[in-house]
Amino acid sequence: MSATATMTEQREEHLVIFTLDGEDYGVEIALVNEIIRRQEITQIPRALSDVEGVINLRGKIVPILDLRKRLGLPSLETTGATRIVVVEIRENTVGLIVDGVKGVLRLEASLIEPPSPLVNRSEDDDFVRGVGKHEGSLIILLNLERTLRLEITGE
Amino acid sequence: MSQYLGLFLDEASEQLELLEHDILLLEQDASPDLLDRIFRAAHTLKGSSRAMGFTPMGELTHALEDVFDRLRQQTLSITRPLIDALFAGLDSLKEMREQIATSGQTHEDTAVLCARLRSLLGRSIEEPRPIEKGKVEEEKDKKAKTSSVLLARPGTPHLDSETEDCLRLALNEEGGTAFWIALDFAQDCLMKSVRAMLAINSLNEIGQVLITEPIGEEIEAEGFSLPLYLLVQTSHTEAEVSTRMARLSETVLISLTEWHEEIPLQQIQDTSVTPFSFLLSVSQQEAIDEAHSVGERLVSLRIRLADDCVMKSIRALMVMNALEAVGSVIALNPDEEALEAETFEQTFDVLLATQVEEALIRLAIERVSEATCELITDWKAEREPATNTIAEASLTSGFVHSLEVPNLAPVETPDALHPVALSPARPTPPPTQTHAQTQTVRVDVARLDKLLNLIGELVIDRTRIAQLGTLLEQKYGLHELIESMNETATHVGRITDELQSEIMKARLIPIDTVFNRFPRMIRDLAQKLGKEVEFVVEGKETELDRSVVEIIGDPLVHMLRNSVDHGIETPEEREDRGKSRTGTVTLRARHQENHIVIEIEDDGKGMSPAALRAIAVRKGLLTSEAAYRLTDREALQIIFAPGFSTAAVVSEVSGRGVGMDIVKSNLERLGAIMDIQSEIGEGSRFTIKLPLTLAIIRGLLVKVAGGVFALPLVAVQETLRVDVAALHRINGREVILQRGHTLPIIRLDEIFDLSCAIVPEEPKSGRSTSSLSGMNSLQHLADNERTLNSRRSNEIYLVIVGNGTSTVGLVVDRLIGEQEVVIKTLGKFIGQIAGISGATILGDGRVALIADINGIIEVATERNYSEVQRRREEALDAA
């Protein structure tokens, strides 16, 4: 491993790109455990409204977050493209329901800008840590800790 | 040494627990057996703490040991101050153990405690103190004589073997030489103690003063007799030490001699053929005589421990235990102290009185790993007076084994082959049944947890396989392959069950580990409160899972405190009421079906439901209306309400900021069910029903609104099928009449805001669409089945559950069955949800939620309350 290689890695972000309500979103690939099809979800009564329920992921109970609800987007019926992106961050494994997954992408750090009120609806600012430009389209980079309410629980 | 630290700490806690338990007993009954046991525990602890280099701990245990020794010899009587001092010592030892556990060292100053203990000894000494600090001596008189004789030689006070061993170790490890120095001070010297200290300090500059005679305190007390003997370990030469001493004013150096170990004669003999030799005391001779008189043989054994054996002392001890099971150990060479101090080579000799065949003895020894029996021969002692000098003893009672060896092989071989056949008449217990032979391994709890988790997965998969088999059979009919798969599945199931039950058993520990700290606590508490309390513990051998044991300790402490503090009356009050002065608190544990039941019972003043209601109203915990509505049984539960305390003044004892409400919530977190019974003037009884383990529970699976829930079986009383017409509404609350009582009904689907996607007659908004889309065909099938089953008639299924206080009926759509469920948490992301305690994975891979009965009843009560409130407000608005 040469110094230049490390430098390159630092200047690039490796992302999983998924779609929600017609927009492209990205999360760091390092945080993504797997991507699965939507399966039967057991509702949790009295849980927060955007918590869809739990699933059995190979013997593990994994909570599922309806990302549309969480981000204040209108609900959508499950389609064939619907996927659950299972992320793991600080020992919390959570599945995110997304409209579809596009693939992975390497994005140069120079193409990522901090969130700007011009490109985001103000109430979503909290969830966005940056906006990346790729082939003329914009990719919203999610702040997962914020999205999963991890800082609120005081960890 | 650090790798032994864990072992040492474990051992220390065991010995400390044992000591605490036994010292409590001591107050009531000072039997010789008990005193022996206490002494041994202190002795073991002393040995191990010294071996680990925790000197203060060793010193304090030593001081305790001295007291126990005197008690054993009945030259000291048991008094309250004595017991208090012993407990104080014990507390300090525990403190030190904790310090060592957390920081690897201890910084307790034990001088005060040691002095306190020694002062107890001083007060009742009638005979002259032995020269050395109190020691373990079988024949005190004899030894004292020997010591004084040895002391007559100037410059070398006699050291007991243990001190010698320590010294030898110190010299081996640190090098240098040990000198005995005898000092005298000028006749007109005013401050002998100062001179002595100066001498000691001066020596400490070039080495270390290990022993002083007289001991430190006596030197400080000034009135000590001369000469002063000092044993110093130093790397300096004799001349240097001598010059140093000469420099001290008013001090005369009488003698300076190098310390040599007093080597017993038998050790000097040729080591290539070491004969058996035991130094026998009078009592040992008597034991031999006795053995002969009951027809026992005497056998000498040479036991060899593996060369790479660590903790030889423990192995040796295990061998001793093993041998005690087949006979009685009469003598040891080297002696027990040396074995404990590990100052022996790989072999040691045992003189054993036994009736058992040699092969069985061999077997007993070799069951101890790393130990082998090198030699085993009959021991023929020429009877000589027991008061032999050392030299005589080694000559007369020893023998050269080479003469006996040829006989060995033919004697033992047939025995080894047919040990039972050769001794048919003799009722010899086979070694397998002998006590203290259980071989144990200490296992990290985390590893057991992991194993249990893995088995949990296996349980799930087993059920899954069985279900797949059924599905396959339904689809393809009874095929040979399916049949054989089903058979295998059944077999796997059986093995899994067994595996699970074995692992569960491995995790079980006797509840004694929690209970054993209570007698001391009750004693202290009763003393502080001026009450007389007899504490009875029953069923302390009851076993339960580690996870439960770890949590029930604190709640029990509070409940016991509560019983002594609020339950038991003062002796005067009791007499006035015609009761015995001494109150009794009973702690009971037992198994009941799949649960553990713990009861705390006192014969104190009992609780008055009326008084409790009144207090609750006064403190604003309940409205008077609500208080009035409570049944007597429910009223007793008021003591668990937050902010409640029956004592007029919050006492130091119970009022430590933790109320019974915390106790209750802690126990409920374990899935416990609590009940209180109380008779005014007669006493109270608290009953706690606990699951055996926290990882797996037995649950009743029910279906509610398309979802499966597991109801903990511990709370389930019965299941009913009732006609809808039997439901009544009282004050907006659904009830049924059951055996003359009204039973509140809780609809789980309402509590949980579950909408039933299939049956539309219950109009509920919510996520019917998403839950429908998520269902797989299997569930559709089951749901249709349910619709057919229960909705066709006008019947509903009720599961009657209770949490000790309330009993309610839960409306469910269908009963699925009873099953063991592995509890999994919902995780931090979802957090705590009222009414749900976790989730489990069913055989078909789906997730079922585990209902928390207490939570459900609470939610229902709140809801009912707000409902009533709302209606009342509406009525007000209308008016």
Side-chain angles (χ1 to χ4, degrees):
Chain A
M1 260 299 162
S2 68
T4 42
T6 328
M7 291 288 283
T8 324
E9 268 174 40
Q10 271 175 357
R11 275 199 251 115
E12 253 183 14
E13 286 214 26
H14 209 175
L15 302 166
V16 171
I17 309 296
F18 55 85
T19 55
L20 267 184
D21 205 26
E23 290 194 66
D24 286 351
Y25 288 78
V27 292
E28 296 96 310
I29 200 163
L31 299 177
V32 176
N33 271 4
E34 58 189 305
I35 295 160
I36 53 174
R37 282 175 187 281
R38 184 174 169 131
Q39 48 174 280
E40 194 209 340
I41 297 174
T42 304
Q43 287 180 37
I44 308 288
R46 306 171 67 84
L48 291 167
S49 68
D50 53 20
V51 174
E52 187 72 12
V54 290
I55 60 163
N56 164 20
L57 188 62
R58 288 185 304 275
K60 226 179 136 182
I61 303 272
V62 175
I64 302 298
L65 181 76
D66 184 337
L67 202 51
R68 274 181 169 258
K69 267 191 196 160
R70 177 70 181 133
L71 301 183
L73 302 170
S75 291
L76 185 79
E77 276 293 323
T78 302
T79 69
T82 306
R83 293 287 182 275
I84 294 174
V85 178
V86 181
V87 297
E88 186 178 341
I89 179 163
R90 288 197 275 156
E91 294 184 0
N92 288 274
T93 306
V94 180
L96 310 172
I97 302 180
V98 301
D99 292 357
V101 174
K102 277 190 154 177
V104 292
L105 180 72
R106 278 183 194 276
L107 201 60
E108 279 195 33
S110 58
L111 296 174
I112 298 174
E113 286 173 10
S116 145
L118 292 175
V119 291
N120 284 291
R121 282 174 299 176
S122 59
E123 68 181 271
D124 290 345
D125 276 2
D126 275 331
F127 304 117
V128 178
R129 66 175 172 87
V131 176
K133 278 173 283 186
H134 178 68
E135 292 173 359
S137 63
L138 297 177
I139 295 161
I140 302 165
L141 304 182
L142 273 187
N143 174 354
L144 268 190
E145 301 199 356
R146 177 85 180 110
T147 310
L148 302 185
R149 287 186 280 264
L150 289 180
E151 73 277 69
I152 298 169
T153 56
E155 274 183 82
Chain B
M1 275 313 218
S2 62
Q3 70 263 41
Y4 304 130
L5 189 61
L7 199 60
F8 165 74
L9 289 172
D10 285 348
E11 219 183 71
S13 341
E14 273 163 31
Q15 302 295 347
L16 286 171
E17 269 171 26
L18 191 73
L19 278 171
E20 177 154 310
H21 176 256
D22 286 352
I23 292 173
L24 269 171
L25 288 179
L26 204 57
E27 270 189 307
Q28 293 139 31
D29 166 38
S31 70
D33 279 357
L34 181 67
L35 282 164
D36 273 351
R37 202 162 68 203
I38 294 178
F39 178 81
R40 273 201 306 275
H43 187 71
T44 311
L45 190 58
K46 180 187 72 174
S48 58
S49 46
R50 278 187 179 170
M52 293 296 293
F54 300 121
T55 323
M57 204 161 173
E59 303 240 308
L60 185 54
T61 345
H62 191 153
L64 285 170
E65 187 188 343
D66 285 353
V67 174
F68 297 139
D69 193 32
R70 295 285 305 278
L71 288 173
R72 207 161 64 141
Q73 294 162 14
Q74 298 183 324
T75 55
L76 193 65
S77 54
I78 295 162
T79 57
R80 189 37 87 60
L82 178 88
I83 298 283
D84 287 345
L86 290 177
F87 275 134
L90 213 52
D91 288 344
S92 172
L93 285 175
K94 279 191 200 157
E95 177 62 27
M96 285 190 262
R97 190 211 159 266
E98 287 309 307
Q99 286 172 358
I100 293 167
T102 47
S103 65
Q105 54 190 346
T106 168
H107 18 266
E108 285 273 299
D109 186 6
T110 55
V112 178
L113 267 171
C114 287
R116 178 171 167 195
L117 288 165
R118 261 187 224 113
S119 74
L120 289 163
L121 290 180
R123 210 176 297 153
S124 51
I125 286 182
E126 289 116 24
E127 58 196 271
R129 254 178 88 90
I131 298 305
E132 276 306 311
K133 299 179 198 171
K135 271 288 141 258
V136 203
E137 275 120 20
E138 297 282 336
E139 322 114 307
K140 204 172 169 69
D141 290 349
K142 187 186 157 201
K143 190 95 178 203
K145 238 179 277 163
T146 333
S147 310
S148 59
V149 171
L150 284 170
L151 194 66
R153 267 190 285 148
T156 56
H158 174 68
L159 295 177
D160 62 330
S161 61
E162 194 182 353
T163 320
E164 267 186 7
D165 292 335
C166 292
L167 192 54
R168 187 166 53 235
L169 274 178
L171 290 175
N172 279 345
E173 278 170 22
E174 295 151 37
T177 331
F179 294 107
W180 269 118
I181 297 167
L183 295 177
D184 199 355
F185 301 116
Q187 286 280 319
D188 52 350
C189 167
L190 285 177
M191 304 273 279
K192 281 195 291 183
S193 57
V194 176
R195 293 289 153 219
M197 285 304 160
L198 284 173
I200 292 169
N201 286 346
S202 165
L203 287 170
N204 275 339
E205 282 168 29
I206 55 161
Q208 198 188 359
V209 175
L210 300 170
I211 289 164
T212 67
E213 173 58 40
I215 59 169
E217 279 101 321
E218 286 175 38
I219 295 177
E220 275 167 29
E222 194 71 31
F224 60 95
S225 59
L226 291 166
L228 168 70
Y229 290 105
L230 302 173
L231 182 65
V232 63
Q233 182 194 350
T234 174
S235 50
H236 291 237
T237 63
E238 198 174 328
E240 281 170 308
V241 176
S242 157
T243 343
R244 223 158 222 284
M245 290 297 103
R247 257 189 260 145
L248 298 166
S249 59
E250 293 185 283
T251 307
V252 182
L253 179 66
I254 305 177
S255 66
L256 177 67
T257 35
E258 193 180 334
W259 174 81
H260 288 291
E261 201 181 329
E262 289 165 32
I263 302 162
L265 280 176
Q266 75 270 18
Q267 287 186 8
I268 304 171
Q269 293 174 5
D270 186 0
T271 44
S272 62
V273 186
T274 317
F276 283 109
S277 69
F278 299 101
L279 293 178
L280 297 173
S281 67
V282 185
S283 58
Q284 283 166 334
Q285 281 292 356
E286 280 166 9
I288 291 171
D289 291 344
E290 198 187 313
H292 279 305
S293 69
V294 297
E296 284 182 329
R297 291 176 304 126
L298 288 164
V299 201
S300 350
L301 308 164
R302 175 151 302 152
I303 286 134
R304 173 172 287 280
L305 300 179
D307 285 340
D308 52 352
C309 167
V310 288
M311 300 297 274
K312 287 190 289 183
S313 57
I314 290 177
R315 290 288 160 221
L317 208 69
M318 287 169 73
V319 171
M320 285 313 134
N321 282 340
L323 287 174
E324 286 290 353
V326 293
S328 49
V329 173
I330 296 208
L332 291 170
N333 181 29
D335 63 9
E336 206 178 342
E337 304 236 297
L339 289 183
E340 278 178 24
E342 304 198 349
T343 52
F344 64 101
E345 295 302 325
Q346 297 312 117
T347 61
F348 62 97
D349 298 346
V350 181
L351 181 58
L352 184 76
T354 181
Q355 296 191 326
V356 173
E357 298 297 329
E358 282 174 10
L360 287 179
I361 299 172
R362 229 170 237 281
L363 209 66
I365 295 167
E366 272 149 33
R367 280 172 62 96
V368 177
S369 53
E370 298 187 301
T372 46
C373 182
E374 200 170 72
L375 265 180
I376 181 163
T377 50
D378 283 337
W379 186 79
K380 296 179 204 82
E382 280 152 47
R383 310 307 317 280
E384 285 288 331
T387 47
N388 284 344
T389 63
I390 289 170
E392 280 169 344
S394 69
L395 287 174
T396 52
S397 55
F399 71 96
V400 180
H401 78 82
S402 55
L403 298 175
E404 307 278 336
V405 168
N407 298 336
L408 265 177
V411 173
E412 71 173 337
T413 316
D415 277 10
L417 291 172
H418 313 284
V420 184
L422 279 183
S423 55
R426 213 174 281 175
T428 316
T432 42
Q433 286 175 13
T434 52
H435 67 91
Q437 292 245 5
T438 5
Q439 298 203 357
T440 55
V441 182
R442 283 181 201 273
V443 182
D444 193 343
V445 184
R447 191 161 286 179
L448 284 180
D449 286 346
K450 178 102 193 276
L451 270 176
L452 196 60
N453 276 340
L454 288 173
I455 289 169
E457 306 286 319
L458 207 54
V459 169
I460 291 164
D461 285 347
R462 171 204 57 189
T463 323
R464 172 86 183 133
I465 292 173
Q467 280 186 352
L468 281 175
T470 319
L471 287 176
L472 283 173
E473 210 176 292
Q474 279 168 5
K475 196 160 181 185
Y476 301 106
L478 209 54
H479 190 272
E480 203 178 310
L481 280 175
I482 296 175
E483 210 172 329
S484 110
M485 190 195 99
N486 283 347
E487 270 168 31
T488 317
T490 316
H491 187 233
V492 169
R494 259 205 310 275
I495 293 172
T496 314
D497 281 345
E498 218 168 299
L499 197 58
Q500 185 185 332
S501 100
E502 284 303 313
I503 284 291
M504 300 274 270
K505 274 186 211 147
R507 293 170 51 91
L508 293 182
I509 51 177
I511 202 164
D512 195 22
T513 51
V514 185
F515 281 11
N516 60 16
R517 62 174 156 140
F518 295 149
R520 168 80 191 282
M521 182 195 87
I522 300 269
R523 174 193 179 271
D524 291 354
L525 186 57
Q527 217 174 319
K528 204 181 283 172
L529 294 169
K531 293 181 180 180
E532 289 174 24
V533 179
E534 191 191 343
F535 184 52
V536 181
V537 178
E538 290 172 15
K540 60 183 176 190
E541 67 289 338
T542 311
E543 289 186 317
L544 69 172
D545 193 85
R546 275 205 82 95
S547 52
V548 183
V549 166
E550 277 158 17
I551 308 180
I552 55 166
D554 287 343
L556 287 180
V557 166
H558 284 286
M559 296 181 71
L560 285 170
R561 277 200 186 129
N562 189 67
S563 288
V564 176
D565 196 10
H566 302 309
I568 301 288
E569 311 91 331
T570 62
E572 295 72 31
E573 278 173 330
R574 292 183 64 89
E575 272 184 344
D576 289 347
R577 289 175 198 180
K579 295 184 182 177
S580 64
R581 282 177 66 84
T582 308
T584 307
V585 173
T586 309
L587 178 61
R588 218 175 271 132
R590 62 166 194 274
H591 279 277
Q592 188 179 307
E593 290 145 29
N594 268 315
H595 309 116
I596 298 283
V597 176
I598 299 174
E599 285 175 352
I600 295 173
E601 193 177 329
D602 65 67
D603 64 349
K605 51 179 169 260
M607 290 182 287
S608 145
L612 290 171
R613 283 194 193 100
I615 296 169
V617 172
R618 201 178 63 231
K619 296 202 171 181
L621 301 172
L622 284 174
T623 63
S624 48
E625 190 199 336
Y628 174 73
R629 267 211 312 270
L630 294 177
T631 63
D632 280 1
R633 196 170 159 197
E634 284 167 347
L636 290 176
Q637 300 269 345
I638 290 176
I639 65 160
F640 293 126
F644 182 87
S645 166
T646 45
V649 183
V650 174
S651 66
E652 183 201 344
V653 177
S654 305
R656 295 196 182 189
V658 184
M660 292 293 271
D661 55 322
I662 307 284
V663 169
K664 187 176 179 192
S665 62
N666 277 351
L667 285 172
E668 280 175 354
R669 235 188 14 205
L670 289 178
I673 301 287
M674 294 185 68
D675 191 23
I676 310 176
Q677 282 166 305
S678 190
E679 286 290 325
I680 300 165
E682 301 282 318
S684 309
R685 180 162 70 203
F686 295 82
T687 309
I688 307 163
K689 203 168 158 194
L690 287 162
L692 273 179
T693 166
L694 297 185
I696 297 181
I697 59 162
R698 288 201 71 79
L700 176 67
L701 298 187
V702 298
K703 200 152 220 184
V704 180
V708 177
F709 288 83
L711 307 175
L713 215 55
V714 66
V716 173
Q717 293 170 359
E718 57 180 316
T719 56
L720 294 176
R721 220 157 71 161
V722 297
D723 201 282
V724 183
L727 292 176
H728 301 281
R729 259 177 195 277
I730 297 178
N731 209 7
R733 207 172 173 182
E734 275 185 302
V735 298
I736 60 156
L737 272 172
Q738 197 208 8
R739 296 183 199 108
H741 292 281
T742 54
L743 189 72
I745 300 298
I746 295 176
R747 289 187 177 265
L748 275 183
D749 49 356
E750 281 177 20
I751 290 290
F752 289 150
D753 285 330
L754 291 175
S755 51
C756 190
I758 307 293
V759 187
E761 66 242 14
E762 291 178 57
K764 275 275 171 187
S765 61
R767 328 170 172 145
S768 48
T769 42
S770 63
S771 65
L772 179 60
S773 57
M775 283 178 188
N776 62 19
S777 58
L778 222 156
Q779 192 182 347
H780 275 294
L781 197 84
D783 282 340
N784 288 330
E785 189 184 285
R786 172 185 59 86
T787 328
L788 290 175
N789 269 350
S790 70
R791 297 285 164 173
R792 195 164 48 188
S793 62
N794 283 331
E795 284 179 328
I796 53 167
Y797 285 96
L798 279 183
V799 181
I800 314 298
V801 294
N803 68 348
T805 327
S806 330
T807 305
V808 299
L810 303 178
V811 180
V812 301
D813 293 348
R814 197 164 66 95
L815 304 174
I816 298 173
E818 198 185 305
Q819 191 184 311
E820 286 201 325
V821 296
V822 182
I823 302 176
K824 289 170 182 274
T825 117
L826 288 176
K828 279 176 288 186
F829 177 70
I830 289 179
Q832 291 274 329
I833 306 248
I836 306 281
S837 60
T840 189
I841 295 171
L842 299 176
D844 59 9
R846 283 194 296 155
V847 180
L849 299 177
I850 300 169
D852 162 27
I853 301 298
N854 286 303
I856 287 175
I857 292 176
E858 261 165 43
V859 172
T861 320
E862 268 169 41
R863 198 167 278 217
N864 193 55
Y865 179 74
S866 53
E867 183 90 346
V868 172
Q869 196 80 350
R870 187 179 54 79
R871 241 181 285 151
R872 199 171 287 167
E873 278 160 15
E874 278 173 8
L876 280 173
D877 288 347

